[in-house]
Amino acid sequence: GAVVSQHPSRVICKSGTSVKIECRSLDFQATTMFWYRQFPKQSLMLMATSNEGSKATYEQGVEKDKFLINHASLTLSTLTVTSAHPEDSSFYICSAQIGGGGTDTQYFGPGTRLTVL
Amino acid sequence: GQQLNQSPQSMFIQEGEDVSMNCTSSSIFNTWLWYKQDPGEGPVLLIALYKAGELTSNGRLTAQFGITRKDSFLNISASIPSDVGIYFCAGSGGGADGLTFGKGTHLIIQP
């Protein structure tokens, strides 16, 4: 149980184009999903919190107009990197939350490697 | 903002040895999680801790949530080659809070 998938696993795009990444919880429903970014040899950094049926909450320094998040259902959240530039190249990882009552746990997807040329 | 200090940064051990790593925080967390990440993959949950003082085991892994809610350790007993990877601690305030990650401990097992 608690399987999270991401698609695509890798994407290469030209500078200025937009890229959409999907995050799905396969065997459970998740009211809350999260998006993280990880640069080479660094830790994961939280970008935003995705809430089903409402607007995402972005961390300080993350541009909401550049990283569009849509959590349209209890099993799907999407991250769209708009007008991507080389500095947006990174490993993007989503997580889905299970729990409640003080036992919240996040399960991560396998990540999406974005390379912007 | 919240910060997690994870140590050691890397460990070079021999197969069969025990491993210990820890994390400390400048502030209190309500949930403490330990993950393992292999290259090019997402983190995999190892152990979740929810109560101060809680000691939890998962096979050869044991983790404890500090009484003050500001620290945690992870022990691995009798290491095997597949234990190689990067181990991250992560803390959360609970609810809809995202995770704050430590910088990771890179475990390398020498033959």
Side-chain angles (χ1 to χ4, degrees):
Chain A
V3 179
V4 178
S5 70
Q6 276 185 246
H7 178 79
S9 58
R10 293 177 177 269
V11 57
I12 301 173
C13 68
K14 293 182 179 179
S15 184
T17 60
S18 295
V19 174
K20 179 186 283 188
I21 302 170
E22 293 185 347
C23 177
R24 294 181 185 273
S25 56
L26 298 184
D27 51 359
F28 64 99
Q29 293 183 331
T31 303
T32 306
M33 292 184 175
F34 302 87
W35 287 95
Y36 296 80
R37 182 166 51 184
Q38 186 177 31
F39 292 108
K41 298 188 177 181
Q42 294 189 20
S43 187
L44 284 77
M45 294 294 293
L46 179 67
M47 297 176 66
T49 302
S50 172
N51 300 295
E52 188 269 336
S54 64
K55 291 183 179 180
T57 305
Y58 291 81
E59 295 300 298
Q60 190 173 6
V62 178
E63 300 176 54
K64 64 178 181 180
D65 294 330
K66 181 169 185 62
F67 299 99
L68 301 179
I69 291 173
N70 187 345
H71 196 152
S73 76
L74 289 173
T75 59
L76 173 64
S77 175
T78 61
L79 169 69
T80 301
V81 183
T82 63
S83 186
H85 291 283
E87 58 266 29
D88 298 324
S89 298
S90 188
F91 194 47
Y92 292 87
I93 316 173
C94 71
S95 71
Q97 184 165 280
I98 287 181
T103 61
D104 300 305
T105 303
Q106 290 185 32
Y107 292 88
F108 284 84
T112 296
R113 174 76 59 191
L114 171 63
T115 302
V116 185
L117 303 177
Chain B
Q2 295 174 322
Q3 292 185 347
L4 289 184
N5 297 309
Q6 185 171 351
S7 65
Q9 184 175 354
S10 59
M11 299 184 72
F12 296 81
I13 64 168
Q14 291 192 329
E15 183 177 353
E17 290 186 3
D18 296 341
V19 173
S20 183
M21 59 192 79
N22 68 84
C23 278
T24 59
S25 170
S26 57
S27 54
I28 290 173
F29 286 112
N30 290 321
T31 300
W32 212 299
L33 307 170
W34 284 92
Y35 292 90
K36 178 175 182 280
Q37 186 179 31
D38 291 329
E41 299 181 11
V44 174
L45 181 67
L46 299 175
I47 291 180
L49 302 163
Y50 304 107
K51 298 180 181 178
E54 180 180 357
L55 181 70
T56 298
S57 293
N58 178 8
R60 294 179 295 106
L61 278 61
T62 302
Q64 185 161 30
F65 196 163
I67 289 290
T68 64
R69 292 185 171 272
K70 292 185 177 182
D71 63 290
S72 177
F73 70 75
L74 173 70
N75 289 341
I76 305 173
S77 63
S79 60
I80 59 177
S82 61
D83 291 335
V84 167
I86 301 178
Y87 292 79
F88 289 101
C89 61
S92 169
D97 281 3
L99 294 175
T100 299
F101 277 80
K103 293 189 176 182
T105 295
H106 191 178
L107 180 60
I108 300 165
I109 298 179
Q110 297 173 326

